[in-house]
Amino acid sequence: MLSIEKKIFDYINKNRYVIFVGVVTLLSVMARFYLLYYRSDDMIVCLEPWFEGLKNHGGLGGLKYYQSELNGNYNYPYATLMALLTYLPSAIKPIYLVKALSIVFDYLLAGLCAYFTYDLTKNYFKSVLVYSIVVLLPSVVLNSSMWGQCDAIYSFFVVLALYFLLKKKYLYTFIFTGVAVAFKAQAILVLLPLLLIAYCNRRDFSLLYFLIIPLVDIVMCLPALLSGVSVNEIINVYINQAGTYSHMVYNYPNIYYLLSPASDGLGMGSSGLYYMIAGCGLTLLYLLERNKKMDDKKMLELSVWLIVMVCFLMPGIHERYCYTAEVMAVVYCVVYGENIFVPVFLNFVSLICYSNYLLHTESAGMNILAVMYFVFFCFYTKKTLISERGNK
């Protein structure tokens, strides 16, 4: 080896993690770049009209008309970010600005997951591995750059809340829970069951902390309130989101996909909601019965399982609701070296569902996939809850 080659090799070896992250980031940016042109149905029907409407009404001042004229049904903090984007040069097309916002949070989320991993392992290789996997996950790439959706935004704050929950810094946990819920109401389905379980298991913080969540939500909506939006309008966003969808399932192979479409009109959707609540309640009761303090490993595993459980039992689930679990399952798998079947299966399901929606196709095997999901859920539940029964 020549001396110049040795110097180059030594430099690359010394800075291998930085170089690898740079290469992965460049490749992931390129992968996203070639998808930016695609205009999804949500982009055509909702996101672009909202952007143009907010811009025509003066940006932040347009928040007052977000619901009444623009029929906006995303939460006001997201609409506020969109309104801020309208002040950028008009030469940049709305589709690129909207997608760029979500893509920025792709990288923030991947970076946070990498930091989360390093904090738990003190291992640079594992943290770089998590960053690389998350930033290249098909669901993460397609969600922002092709679909134009914003699940990376609320998921970033969900992961922050989980991080501080493991650190037992509960003030920050509930603040970031409030921020996550402010961006997307579904975040409460991700975090509330886990926070209740943590409250009963650890017993080292007060129920009063839960009041922080709506207070943060109000603070996040201050720009909208100052622009003339009423409190009722802000509350109506959540109510309207709950009532927007009437079917039991939307392109996601949970247990309701196995039922006849005719069941939509039989009130089974409301019944299914109570099954989901009962599932959370039984989980809490079981963990109380075990009376065993949960460590970081079990808390992180439970956070992923709870999202999977909600997506499996709750009616009206979309293909994007498992987004946070798909990401956090990667973190758990790399940190603890187990449950590799979870991120593999969840992302496999997600890829099929995303393809069905974005490419306007309907997979003939969705019923089979629903059966596979049922088997997966049963096995994962046994692994998460029942397998350690003897360790009480």
Side-chain angles (χ1 to χ4, degrees), residues 149-181:
Q149 283 293 348
C150 56
D151 294 273
I153 300 178
Y154 89 90
S155 291
F156 173 79
F157 294 106
V158 168
V159 175
L160 262 181
L162 288 173
Y163 172 79
F164 285 112
L165 179 64
L166 265 57
K167 288 292 185 181
K168 298 185 178 181
K169 296 183 178 180
Y170 299 118
L171 176 61
Y172 296 113
T173 297
F174 283 90
I175 287 175
F176 288 116
T177 297
V179 175
V181 173

PDB file of all heavy atoms in Angstrom, residues 149-181:
ATOM      1  N   GLN A 149     -47.559  13.692   2.911  1.00  0.00           N
ATOM      2  CA  GLN A 149     -48.178  13.679   4.230  1.00  0.00           C
ATOM      3  C   GLN A 149     -47.185  14.094   5.307  1.00  0.00           C
ATOM      4  O   GLN A 149     -45.986  14.216   5.054  1.00  0.00           O
ATOM      5  CB  GLN A 149     -48.762  12.297   4.525  1.00  0.00           C
ATOM      6  CG  GLN A 149     -50.082  12.026   3.822  1.00  0.00           C
ATOM      7  CD  GLN A 149     -51.208  12.910   4.353  1.00  0.00           C
ATOM      8  OE1 GLN A 149     -51.078  13.572   5.376  1.00  0.00           O
ATOM      9  NE2 GLN A 149     -52.334  12.922   3.645  1.00  0.00           N
ATOM     10  N   CYS A 150     -47.696  14.290   6.513  1.00  0.00           N
ATOM     11  CA  CYS A 150     -46.899  14.920   7.571  1.00  0.00           C
ATOM     12  C   CYS A 150     -46.736  14.040   8.800  1.00  0.00           C
ATOM     13  O   CYS A 150     -46.560  14.545   9.910  1.00  0.00           O
ATOM     14  CB  CYS A 150     -47.545  16.247   7.973  1.00  0.00           C
ATOM     15  SG  CYS A 150     -49.283  16.087   8.494  1.00  0.00           S
ATOM     16  N   ASP A 151     -46.781  12.723   8.636  1.00  0.00           N
ATOM     17  CA  ASP A 151     -46.699  11.846   9.806  1.00  0.00           C
ATOM     18  C   ASP A 151     -45.344  11.911  10.497  1.00  0.00           C
ATOM     19  O   ASP A 151     -45.243  11.603  11.683  1.00  0.00           O
ATOM     20  CB  ASP A 151     -47.021  10.414   9.381  1.00  0.00           C
ATOM     21  CG  ASP A 151     -48.461  10.262   8.926  1.00  0.00           C
ATOM     22  OD1 ASP A 151     -49.334  10.015   9.772  1.00  0.00           O
ATOM     23  OD2 ASP A 151     -48.725  10.437   7.723  1.00  0.00           O
ATOM     24  N   ALA A 152     -44.307  12.310   9.767  1.00  0.00           N
ATOM     25  CA  ALA A 152     -42.988  12.454  10.393  1.00  0.00           C
ATOM     26  C   ALA A 152     -42.996  13.570  11.432  1.00  0.00           C
ATOM     27  O   ALA A 152     -42.224  13.517  12.403  1.00  0.00           O
ATOM     28  CB  ALA A 152     -41.928  12.738   9.334  1.00  0.00           C
ATOM     29  N   ILE A 153     -43.867  14.570  11.262  1.00  0.00           N
ATOM     30  CA  ILE A 153     -43.877  15.708  12.184  1.00  0.00           C
ATOM     31  C   ILE A 153     -44.371  15.277  13.561  1.00  0.00           C
ATOM     32  O   ILE A 153     -43.675  15.444  14.570  1.00  0.00           O
ATOM     33  CB  ILE A 153     -44.748  16.858  11.631  1.00  0.00           C
ATOM     34  CG1 ILE A 153     -44.196  17.341  10.290  1.00  0.00           C
ATOM     35  CG2 ILE A 153     -44.804  18.006  12.633  1.00  0.00           C
ATOM     36  CD1 ILE A 153     -45.018  18.443   9.642  1.00  0.00           C
ATOM     37  N   TYR A 154     -45.566  14.693  13.606  1.00  0.00           N
ATOM     38  CA  TYR A 154     -46.080  14.305  14.929  1.00  0.00           C
ATOM     39  C   TYR A 154     -45.266  13.150  15.508  1.00  0.00           C
ATOM     40  O   TYR A 154     -45.071  13.069  16.728  1.00  0.00           O
ATOM     41  CB  TYR A 154     -47.568  13.975  14.855  1.00  0.00           C
ATOM     42  CG  TYR A 154     -47.926  12.546  14.548  1.00  0.00           C
ATOM     43  CD1 TYR A 154     -48.092  11.616  15.567  1.00  0.00           C
ATOM     44  CD2 TYR A 154     -48.121  12.113  13.234  1.00  0.00           C
ATOM     45  CE1 TYR A 154     -48.433  10.300  15.289  1.00  0.00           C
ATOM     46  CE2 TYR A 154     -48.455  10.805  12.947  1.00  0.00           C
ATOM     47  CZ  TYR A 154     -48.609   9.904  13.976  1.00  0.00           C
ATOM     48  OH  TYR A 154     -48.937   8.609  13.699  1.00  0.00           O
ATOM     49  N   SER A 155     -44.746  12.258  14.647  1.00  0.00           N
ATOM     50  CA  SER A 155     -43.957  11.126  15.139  1.00  0.00           C
ATOM     51  C   SER A 155     -42.658  11.607  15.778  1.00  0.00           C
ATOM     52  O   SER A 155     -42.177  11.006  16.757  1.00  0.00           O
ATOM     53  CB  SER A 155     -43.644  10.160  13.993  1.00  0.00           C
ATOM     54  OG  SER A 155     -44.814   9.510  13.556  1.00  0.00           O
ATOM     55  N   PHE A 156     -42.087  12.680  15.260  1.00  0.00           N
ATOM     56  CA  PHE A 156     -40.877  13.248  15.862  1.00  0.00           C
ATOM     57  C   PHE A 156     -41.136  13.620  17.318  1.00  0.00           C
ATOM     58  O   PHE A 156     -40.326  13.305  18.213  1.00  0.00           O
ATOM     59  CB  PHE A 156     -40.441  14.479  15.065  1.00  0.00           C
ATOM     60  CG  PHE A 156     -39.307  15.249  15.694  1.00  0.00           C
ATOM     61  CD1 PHE A 156     -38.000  14.816  15.573  1.00  0.00           C
ATOM     62  CD2 PHE A 156     -39.560  16.422  16.397  1.00  0.00           C
ATOM     63  CE1 PHE A 156     -36.960  15.523  16.158  1.00  0.00           C
ATOM     64  CE2 PHE A 156     -38.526  17.138  16.987  1.00  0.00           C
ATOM     65  CZ  PHE A 156     -37.212  16.688  16.862  1.00  0.00           C
ATOM     66  N   PHE A 157     -42.270  14.236  17.579  1.00  0.00           N
ATOM     67  CA  PHE A 157     -42.580  14.649  18.951  1.00  0.00           C
ATOM     68  C   PHE A 157     -43.039  13.473  19.810  1.00  0.00           C
ATOM     69  O   PHE A 157     -42.823  13.472  21.030  1.00  0.00           O
ATOM     70  CB  PHE A 157     -43.623  15.767  18.929  1.00  0.00           C
ATOM     71  CG  PHE A 157     -43.115  17.032  18.298  1.00  0.00           C
ATOM     72  CD1 PHE A 157     -43.522  17.415  17.032  1.00  0.00           C
ATOM     73  CD2 PHE A 157     -42.196  17.825  18.966  1.00  0.00           C
ATOM     74  CE1 PHE A 157     -43.030  18.559  16.439  1.00  0.00           C
ATOM     75  CE2 PHE A 157     -41.700  18.986  18.386  1.00  0.00           C
ATOM     76  CZ  PHE A 157     -42.111  19.351  17.119  1.00  0.00           C
ATOM     77  N   VAL A 158     -43.632  12.451  19.197  1.00  0.00           N
ATOM     78  CA  VAL A 158     -43.957  11.232  19.932  1.00  0.00           C
ATOM     79  C   VAL A 158     -42.677  10.565  20.434  1.00  0.00           C
ATOM     80  O   VAL A 158     -42.582  10.158  21.591  1.00  0.00           O
ATOM     81  CB  VAL A 158     -44.765  10.250  19.054  1.00  0.00           C
ATOM     82  CG1 VAL A 158     -44.841   8.870  19.717  1.00  0.00           C
ATOM     83  CG2 VAL A 158     -46.167  10.775  18.808  1.00  0.00           C
ATOM     84  N   VAL A 159     -41.683  10.462  19.554  1.00  0.00           N
ATOM     85  CA  VAL A 159     -40.410   9.843  19.935  1.00  0.00           C
ATOM     86  C   VAL A 159     -39.710  10.675  21.008  1.00  0.00           C
ATOM     87  O   VAL A 159     -39.110  10.132  21.941  1.00  0.00           O
ATOM     88  CB  VAL A 159     -39.502   9.648  18.707  1.00  0.00           C
ATOM     89  CG1 VAL A 159     -38.132   9.109  19.121  1.00  0.00           C
ATOM     90  CG2 VAL A 159     -40.154   8.691  17.716  1.00  0.00           C
ATOM     91  N   LEU A 160     -39.794  12.006  20.905  1.00  0.00           N
ATOM     92  CA  LEU A 160     -39.234  12.865  21.958  1.00  0.00           C
ATOM     93  C   LEU A 160     -39.918  12.588  23.298  1.00  0.00           C
ATOM     94  O   LEU A 160     -39.255  12.504  24.337  1.00  0.00           O
ATOM     95  CB  LEU A 160     -39.421  14.336  21.581  1.00  0.00           C
ATOM     96  CG  LEU A 160     -38.249  15.070  20.934  1.00  0.00           C
ATOM     97  CD1 LEU A 160     -38.622  16.517  20.659  1.00  0.00           C
ATOM     98  CD2 LEU A 160     -37.004  15.012  21.808  1.00  0.00           C
ATOM     99  N   ALA A 161     -41.238  12.455  23.273  1.00  0.00           N
ATOM    100  CA  ALA A 161     -41.977  12.163  24.504  1.00  0.00           C
ATOM    101  C   ALA A 161     -41.546  10.812  25.072  1.00  0.00           C
ATOM    102  O   ALA A 161     -41.373  10.669  26.301  1.00  0.00           O
ATOM    103  CB  ALA A 161     -43.483  12.173  24.231  1.00  0.00           C
ATOM    104  N   LEU A 162     -41.367   9.808  24.216  1.00  0.00           N
ATOM    105  CA  LEU A 162     -40.921   8.492  24.670  1.00  0.00           C
ATOM    106  C   LEU A 162     -39.516   8.564  25.275  1.00  0.00           C
ATOM    107  O   LEU A 162     -39.229   7.927  26.296  1.00  0.00           O
ATOM    108  CB  LEU A 162     -40.930   7.506  23.507  1.00  0.00           C
ATOM    109  CG  LEU A 162     -42.293   7.054  22.994  1.00  0.00           C
ATOM    110  CD1 LEU A 162     -42.124   6.207  21.736  1.00  0.00           C
ATOM    111  CD2 LEU A 162     -43.045   6.275  24.057  1.00  0.00           C
ATOM    112  N   TYR A 163     -38.660   9.356  24.644  1.00  0.00           N
ATOM    113  CA  TYR A 163     -37.292   9.506  25.146  1.00  0.00           C
ATOM    114  C   TYR A 163     -37.302  10.060  26.570  1.00  0.00           C
ATOM    115  O   TYR A 163     -36.630   9.526  27.468  1.00  0.00           O
ATOM    116  CB  TYR A 163     -36.490  10.419  24.216  1.00  0.00           C
ATOM    117  CG  TYR A 163     -35.125  10.784  24.756  1.00  0.00           C
ATOM    118  CD1 TYR A 163     -34.063   9.883  24.676  1.00  0.00           C
ATOM    119  CD2 TYR A 163     -34.894  12.019  25.362  1.00  0.00           C
ATOM    120  CE1 TYR A 163     -32.812  10.210  25.178  1.00  0.00           C
ATOM    121  CE2 TYR A 163     -33.650  12.348  25.873  1.00  0.00           C
ATOM    122  CZ  TYR A 163     -32.618  11.446  25.777  1.00  0.00           C
ATOM    123  OH  TYR A 163     -31.380  11.766  26.290  1.00  0.00           O
ATOM    124  N   PHE A 164     -38.056  11.113  26.783  1.00  0.00           N
ATOM    125  CA  PHE A 164     -38.089  11.715  28.116  1.00  0.00           C
ATOM    126  C   PHE A 164     -38.865  10.852  29.107  1.00  0.00           C
ATOM    127  O   PHE A 164     -38.606  10.915  30.313  1.00  0.00           O
ATOM    128  CB  PHE A 164     -38.671  13.130  28.038  1.00  0.00           C
ATOM    129  CG  PHE A 164     -37.722  14.129  27.460  1.00  0.00           C
ATOM    130  CD1 PHE A 164     -37.974  14.714  26.221  1.00  0.00           C
ATOM    131  CD2 PHE A 164     -36.565  14.483  28.135  1.00  0.00           C
ATOM    132  CE1 PHE A 164     -37.088  15.634  25.683  1.00  0.00           C
ATOM    133  CE2 PHE A 164     -35.669  15.400  27.598  1.00  0.00           C
ATOM    134  CZ  PHE A 164     -35.929  15.972  26.374  1.00  0.00           C
ATOM    135  N   LEU A 165     -39.799  10.035  28.629  1.00  0.00           N
ATOM    136  CA  LEU A 165     -40.487   9.095  29.510  1.00  0.00           C
ATOM    137  C   LEU A 165     -39.492   8.082  30.068  1.00  0.00           C
ATOM    138  O   LEU A 165     -39.510   7.765  31.259  1.00  0.00           O
ATOM    139  CB  LEU A 165     -41.609   8.377  28.758  1.00  0.00           C
ATOM    140  CG  LEU A 165     -42.411   7.343  29.564  1.00  0.00           C
ATOM    141  CD1 LEU A 165     -43.165   8.011  30.714  1.00  0.00           C
ATOM    142  CD2 LEU A 165     -43.390   6.595  28.663  1.00  0.00           C
ATOM    143  N   LEU A 166     -38.621   7.565  29.210  1.00  0.00           N
ATOM    144  CA  LEU A 166     -37.609   6.625  29.675  1.00  0.00           C
ATOM    145  C   LEU A 166     -36.618   7.303  30.617  1.00  0.00           C
ATOM    146  O   LEU A 166     -36.086   6.667  31.535  1.00  0.00           O
ATOM    147  CB  LEU A 166     -36.868   6.016  28.483  1.00  0.00           C
ATOM    148  CG  LEU A 166     -37.391   4.670  27.976  1.00  0.00           C
ATOM    149  CD1 LEU A 166     -38.858   4.738  27.591  1.00  0.00           C
ATOM    150  CD2 LEU A 166     -36.553   4.163  26.803  1.00  0.00           C
ATOM    151  N   LYS A 167     -36.385   8.604  30.403  1.00  0.00           N
ATOM    152  CA  LYS A 167     -35.484   9.363  31.269  1.00  0.00           C
ATOM    153  C   LYS A 167     -36.165   9.805  32.571  1.00  0.00           C
ATOM    154  O   LYS A 167     -35.518  10.377  33.456  1.00  0.00           O
ATOM    155  CB  LYS A 167     -34.979  10.602  30.523  1.00  0.00           C
ATOM    156  CG  LYS A 167     -33.980  10.322  29.416  1.00  0.00           C
ATOM    157  CD  LYS A 167     -32.679   9.829  29.995  1.00  0.00           C
ATOM    158  CE  LYS A 167     -31.623   9.657  28.943  1.00  0.00           C
ATOM    159  NZ  LYS A 167     -30.351   9.153  29.513  1.00  0.00           N
ATOM    160  N   LYS A 168     -37.467   9.566  32.666  1.00  0.00           N
ATOM    161  CA  LYS A 168     -38.277   9.975  33.819  1.00  0.00           C
ATOM    162  C   LYS A 168     -38.289  11.490  34.007  1.00  0.00           C
ATOM    163  O   LYS A 168     -38.402  11.995  35.136  1.00  0.00           O
ATOM    164  CB  LYS A 168     -37.804   9.279  35.101  1.00  0.00           C
ATOM    165  CG  LYS A 168     -37.933   7.758  35.042  1.00  0.00           C
ATOM    166  CD  LYS A 168     -37.564   7.098  36.367  1.00  0.00           C
ATOM    167  CE  LYS A 168     -37.752   5.582  36.273  1.00  0.00           C
ATOM    168  NZ  LYS A 168     -37.430   4.899  37.530  1.00  0.00           N
ATOM    169  N   LYS A 169     -38.193  12.202  32.905  1.00  0.00           N
ATOM    170  CA  LYS A 169     -38.335  13.660  32.923  1.00  0.00           C
ATOM    171  C   LYS A 169     -39.747  13.970  32.438  1.00  0.00           C
ATOM    172  O   LYS A 169     -39.984  14.265  31.263  1.00  0.00           O
ATOM    173  CB  LYS A 169     -37.273  14.321  32.046  1.00  0.00           C
ATOM    174  CG  LYS A 169     -35.855  14.095  32.563  1.00  0.00           C
ATOM    175  CD  LYS A 169     -34.821  14.813  31.713  1.00  0.00           C
ATOM    176  CE  LYS A 169     -33.421  14.605  32.281  1.00  0.00           C
ATOM    177  NZ  LYS A 169     -32.375  15.304  31.475  1.00  0.00           N
ATOM    178  N   TYR A 170     -40.685  13.885  33.366  1.00  0.00           N
ATOM    179  CA  TYR A 170     -42.097  13.834  33.000  1.00  0.00           C
ATOM    180  C   TYR A 170     -42.652  15.164  32.496  1.00  0.00           C
ATOM    181  O   TYR A 170     -43.588  15.178  31.696  1.00  0.00           O
ATOM    182  CB  TYR A 170     -42.920  13.322  34.195  1.00  0.00           C
ATOM    183  CG  TYR A 170     -42.507  11.927  34.594  1.00  0.00           C
ATOM    184  CD1 TYR A 170     -41.971  11.671  35.851  1.00  0.00           C
ATOM    185  CD2 TYR A 170     -42.610  10.868  33.700  1.00  0.00           C
ATOM    186  CE1 TYR A 170     -41.577  10.396  36.215  1.00  0.00           C
ATOM    187  CE2 TYR A 170     -42.229   9.584  34.054  1.00  0.00           C
ATOM    188  CZ  TYR A 170     -41.707   9.354  35.307  1.00  0.00           C
ATOM    189  OH  TYR A 170     -41.317   8.093  35.650  1.00  0.00           O
ATOM    190  N   LEU A 171     -42.103  16.266  32.948  1.00  0.00           N
ATOM    191  CA  LEU A 171     -42.564  17.558  32.436  1.00  0.00           C
ATOM    192  C   LEU A 171     -42.363  17.623  30.928  1.00  0.00           C
ATOM    193  O   LEU A 171     -43.288  17.971  30.175  1.00  0.00           O
ATOM    194  CB  LEU A 171     -41.813  18.701  33.121  1.00  0.00           C
ATOM    195  CG  LEU A 171     -42.137  20.113  32.611  1.00  0.00           C
ATOM    196  CD1 LEU A 171     -43.613  20.433  32.831  1.00  0.00           C
ATOM    197  CD2 LEU A 171     -41.251  21.147  33.299  1.00  0.00           C
ATOM    198  N   TYR A 172     -41.165  17.256  30.477  1.00  0.00           N
ATOM    199  CA  TYR A 172     -40.881  17.260  29.041  1.00  0.00           C
ATOM    200  C   TYR A 172     -41.697  16.191  28.313  1.00  0.00           C
ATOM    201  O   TYR A 172     -42.122  16.391  27.174  1.00  0.00           O
ATOM    202  CB  TYR A 172     -39.394  17.049  28.795  1.00  0.00           C
ATOM    203  CG  TYR A 172     -38.520  18.161  29.325  1.00  0.00           C
ATOM    204  CD1 TYR A 172     -37.646  17.945  30.385  1.00  0.00           C
ATOM    205  CD2 TYR A 172     -38.581  19.437  28.774  1.00  0.00           C
ATOM    206  CE1 TYR A 172     -36.848  18.970  30.880  1.00  0.00           C
ATOM    207  CE2 TYR A 172     -37.790  20.462  29.257  1.00  0.00           C
ATOM    208  CZ  TYR A 172     -36.926  20.228  30.315  1.00  0.00           C
ATOM    209  OH  TYR A 172     -36.151  21.247  30.801  1.00  0.00           O
ATOM    210  N   THR A 173     -41.902  15.062  28.993  1.00  0.00           N
ATOM    211  CA  THR A 173     -42.715  14.003  28.385  1.00  0.00           C
ATOM    212  C   THR A 173     -44.093  14.515  28.009  1.00  0.00           C
ATOM    213  O   THR A 173     -44.567  14.318  26.880  1.00  0.00           O
ATOM    214  CB  THR A 173     -42.867  12.817  29.364  1.00  0.00           C
ATOM    215  OG1 THR A 173     -41.589  12.258  29.633  1.00  0.00           O
ATOM    216  CG2 THR A 173     -43.779  11.748  28.767  1.00  0.00           C
ATOM    217  N   PHE A 174     -44.738  15.193  28.928  1.00  0.00           N
ATOM    218  CA  PHE A 174     -46.106  15.656  28.685  1.00  0.00           C
ATOM    219  C   PHE A 174     -46.140  16.895  27.793  1.00  0.00           C
ATOM    220  O   PHE A 174     -47.110  17.099  27.057  1.00  0.00           O
ATOM    221  CB  PHE A 174     -46.821  15.897  30.019  1.00  0.00           C
ATOM    222  CG  PHE A 174     -47.261  14.625  30.678  1.00  0.00           C
ATOM    223  CD1 PHE A 174     -46.433  13.951  31.556  1.00  0.00           C
ATOM    224  CD2 PHE A 174     -48.508  14.076  30.394  1.00  0.00           C
ATOM    225  CE1 PHE A 174     -46.832  12.760  32.155  1.00  0.00           C
ATOM    226  CE2 PHE A 174     -48.931  12.896  30.983  1.00  0.00           C
ATOM    227  CZ  PHE A 174     -48.081  12.224  31.863  1.00  0.00           C
ATOM    228  N   ILE A 175     -45.106  17.709  27.844  1.00  0.00           N
ATOM    229  CA  ILE A 175     -45.046  18.853  26.923  1.00  0.00           C
ATOM    230  C   ILE A 175     -44.989  18.356  25.483  1.00  0.00           C
ATOM    231  O   ILE A 175     -45.763  18.809  24.616  1.00  0.00           O
ATOM    232  CB  ILE A 175     -43.836  19.748  27.231  1.00  0.00           C
ATOM    233  CG1 ILE A 175     -44.075  20.550  28.522  1.00  0.00           C
ATOM    234  CG2 ILE A 175     -43.567  20.710  26.064  1.00  0.00           C
ATOM    235  CD1 ILE A 175     -42.878  21.372  28.969  1.00  0.00           C
ATOM    236  N   PHE A 176     -44.112  17.407  25.212  1.00  0.00           N
ATOM    237  CA  PHE A 176     -43.975  16.926  23.838  1.00  0.00           C
ATOM    238  C   PHE A 176     -45.140  16.021  23.424  1.00  0.00           C
ATOM    239  O   PHE A 176     -45.445  15.926  22.237  1.00  0.00           O
ATOM    240  CB  PHE A 176     -42.631  16.224  23.657  1.00  0.00           C
ATOM    241  CG  PHE A 176     -41.471  17.173  23.647  1.00  0.00           C
ATOM    242  CD1 PHE A 176     -40.496  17.114  24.635  1.00  0.00           C
ATOM    243  CD2 PHE A 176     -41.370  18.147  22.669  1.00  0.00           C
ATOM    244  CE1 PHE A 176     -39.434  18.009  24.632  1.00  0.00           C
ATOM    245  CE2 PHE A 176     -40.310  19.053  22.652  1.00  0.00           C
ATOM    246  CZ  PHE A 176     -39.335  18.981  23.641  1.00  0.00           C
ATOM    247  N   THR A 177     -45.778  15.409  24.409  1.00  0.00           N
ATOM    248  CA  THR A 177     -47.035  14.707  24.101  1.00  0.00           C
ATOM    249  C   THR A 177     -48.072  15.708  23.622  1.00  0.00           C
ATOM    250  O   THR A 177     -48.786  15.471  22.640  1.00  0.00           O
ATOM    251  CB  THR A 177     -47.566  13.951  25.331  1.00  0.00           C
ATOM    252  OG1 THR A 177     -46.631  12.944  25.709  1.00  0.00           O
ATOM    253  CG2 THR A 177     -48.905  13.290  25.033  1.00  0.00           C
ATOM    254  N   GLY A 178     -48.152  16.839  24.300  1.00  0.00           N
ATOM    255  CA  GLY A 178     -49.083  17.889  23.891  1.00  0.00           C
ATOM    256  C   GLY A 178     -48.776  18.429  22.514  1.00  0.00           C
ATOM    257  O   GLY A 178     -49.681  18.682  21.710  1.00  0.00           O
ATOM    258  N   VAL A 179     -47.487  18.597  22.207  1.00  0.00           N
ATOM    259  CA  VAL A 179     -47.102  19.080  20.876  1.00  0.00           C
ATOM    260  C   VAL A 179     -47.497  18.060  19.813  1.00  0.00           C
ATOM    261  O   VAL A 179     -48.031  18.416  18.756  1.00  0.00           O
ATOM    262  CB  VAL A 179     -45.590  19.366  20.812  1.00  0.00           C
ATOM    263  CG1 VAL A 179     -45.175  19.746  19.389  1.00  0.00           C
ATOM    264  CG2 VAL A 179     -45.207  20.486  21.779  1.00  0.00           C
ATOM    265  N   ALA A 180     -47.245  16.767  20.087  1.00  0.00           N
ATOM    266  CA  ALA A 180     -47.590  15.714  19.134  1.00  0.00           C
ATOM    267  C   ALA A 180     -49.094  15.682  18.872  1.00  0.00           C
ATOM    268  O   ALA A 180     -49.541  15.597  17.721  1.00  0.00           O
ATOM    269  CB  ALA A 180     -47.115  14.355  19.651  1.00  0.00           C
ATOM    270  N   VAL A 181     -49.881  15.778  19.934  1.00  0.00           N
ATOM    271  CA  VAL A 181     -51.341  15.766  19.797  1.00  0.00           C
ATOM    272  C   VAL A 181     -51.819  17.014  19.070  1.00  0.00           C
ATOM    273  O   VAL A 181     -52.774  16.970  18.287  1.00  0.00           O
ATOM    274  CB  VAL A 181     -52.009  15.648  21.177  1.00  0.00           C
ATOM    275  CG1 VAL A 181     -53.522  15.818  21.075  1.00  0.00           C
ATOM    276  CG2 VAL A 181     -51.684  14.300  21.809  1.00  0.00           C
TER     277      VAL A 181
END
